[in-house]
Amino acid sequence: EVPRNPIVMGFPISDTKPPVIDAIGIAPIGLGSRVRNSEKTAHARVSGSTLATTMPIEVEGTFGIEVNGYDSQTGSYNHNGIFRVDLIVDDSLISRFTADSISFDQSRHLNSLIDYPYYYSNRQRFMRMYRQPGNHLENLAYKSDGILNLSDGVHTIQVIAYDHEGNKDEVHFDVDISEGEGQDAFSSAEMLEWNIPYFYEAEDCKLFFPNHTVYASIPLNINQEDLGERPFVHVFDPWIPVQEAFEIKLRIPESMPREGLLIAQT
């Protein structure tokens, strides 16, 4: 029930090719946090051993690092996942991901390991080197969940990717930290908490979200309307991954034919 990475089982595989780090993401986390004065994650391509962008990168408040890259073996052009990734800030190891094994009952948490909204829109996987509170993957080791809350001033960040044979690729860059000010767009919104059940009831609709439905608390986005005679409820957006199933109950008018009725769409 716990699949193992076959590369750790001693198979004689020739590998002299280092992994490749293609790009880095810098994600603002929490109220008032911004990267380059934006509440959205900033992405930068890698050029040599640093980022192909203006340095240092200005960050307000707390943030996390995301990594896009791949690995391959000698004589192969297949793009595989990277065996190990280390995040180091000012010479201190902050977080480490190791792709040695993953149990079936935790595999759905991979949707939280990656920046799923970015993957949904761009089909590129950026692995989070920080942990969302509902992510229980055991492949990750962190200090403070990998979320960076650094003192004001310039700090050096290193991302090092290793394969099982010890070949590595390395990227380093500087961030200029200042204390976050103000609040983000979600500060006044009603939230669906990741670890608290939530029940919603209206005249024609009932919703129940068990705890751990989502991996991190998000603004609650529920819209109801009638499309002709058909009731309609919008719950979440398609780029929000869920860990647990949630219930939707709709009151269907007696006059509405049941054949061909669409109950749910993802």
Side-chain angles (χ1 to χ4, degrees), residues 52 58-59 81-82 132 177 208 217 220:
E58 295 181 350
V59 178
I82 299 173
Q132 291 186 303
I177 307 297
F208 175 68
S217 300
L220 193 60

Side-chain angles (χ1 to χ4, degrees), residues 164-186:
H164 187 258
E165 299 301 315
N167 304 304
K168 67 178 182 179
D169 190 19
E170 181 175 345
V171 176
H172 58 83
F173 56 96
D174 290 338
V175 292
D176 188 1
I177 307 297
S178 60
E179 184 178 353
E181 297 180 0
Q183 296 182 335
D184 63 19
F186 301 151

Side-chain angles (χ1 to χ4, degrees), residues 31-211:
L31 296 179
S33 295
R34 290 172 173 79
V35 177
R36 289 182 168 162
N37 203 32
S38 172
E39 296 172 358
K40 296 182 178 180
T41 299
H43 300 92
R45 305 294 298 181
V46 171
S47 177
S49 60
T50 188
L51 302 184
T53 187
T54 303
M55 293 292 193
I57 297 172
E58 295 181 350
V59 178
E60 299 176 42
T62 57
F63 66 103
I65 299 298
E66 303 176 356
V67 182
N68 172 258
Y70 66 92
D71 188 25
S72 57
Q73 286 79 42
T74 301
S76 171
Y77 295 97
N78 293 336
H79 285 194
N80 306 316
I82 299 173
F83 177 68
R84 194 183 102 195
V85 182
D86 289 353
L87 171 64
I88 299 170
V89 178
D90 296 334
D91 298 323
S92 178
L93 179 64
I94 300 298
S95 58
R96 170 175 291 170
F97 171 82
T98 307
D100 50 359
S101 66
I102 182 172
S103 62
F104 284 120
D105 62 357
Q106 288 191 340
S107 59
R108 191 172 179 85
H109 290 270
L110 291 169
N111 289 329
S112 177
L113 176 67
I114 65 171
D115 185 338
Y116 192 89
Y118 190 84
Y119 170 74
Y120 180 88
S121 300
N122 300 278
R123 286 298 182 262
Q124 288 186 316
R125 291 180 175 87
F126 275 78
M127 182 175 68
R128 291 179 168 124
M129 296 302 293
Y130 57 95
R131 187 179 72 87
Q132 291 186 303
N135 181 3
H136 298 155
L137 281 178
E138 297 176 352
N139 304 71
L140 304 122
Y142 302 100
K143 288 182 180 178
S144 302
D145 288 335
I147 296 173
L148 302 176
N149 186 9
L150 306 178
S151 60
D152 288 2
V154 176
H155 298 263
T156 298
I157 295 179
Q158 291 176 279
V159 177
I160 308 176
Y162 298 89
D163 63 19
H164 187 258
E165 299 301 315
N167 304 304
K168 67 178 182 179
D169 190 19
E170 181 175 345
V171 176
H172 58 83
F173 56 96
D174 290 338
V175 292
D176 188 1
I177 307 297
S178 60
E179 184 178 353
E181 297 180 0
Q183 296 182 335
D184 63 19
F186 301 151
S187 59
S188 60
E190 185 175 4
M191 303 294 287
L192 175 63
E193 304 294 341
W194 71 273
N195 59 342
I196 299 176
Y198 186 92
F199 181 74
Y200 172 90
E201 183 173 10
E203 182 177 354
D204 297 320
C205 174
K206 291 182 180 180
L207 306 173
F208 175 68
F209 304 95
N211 61 335

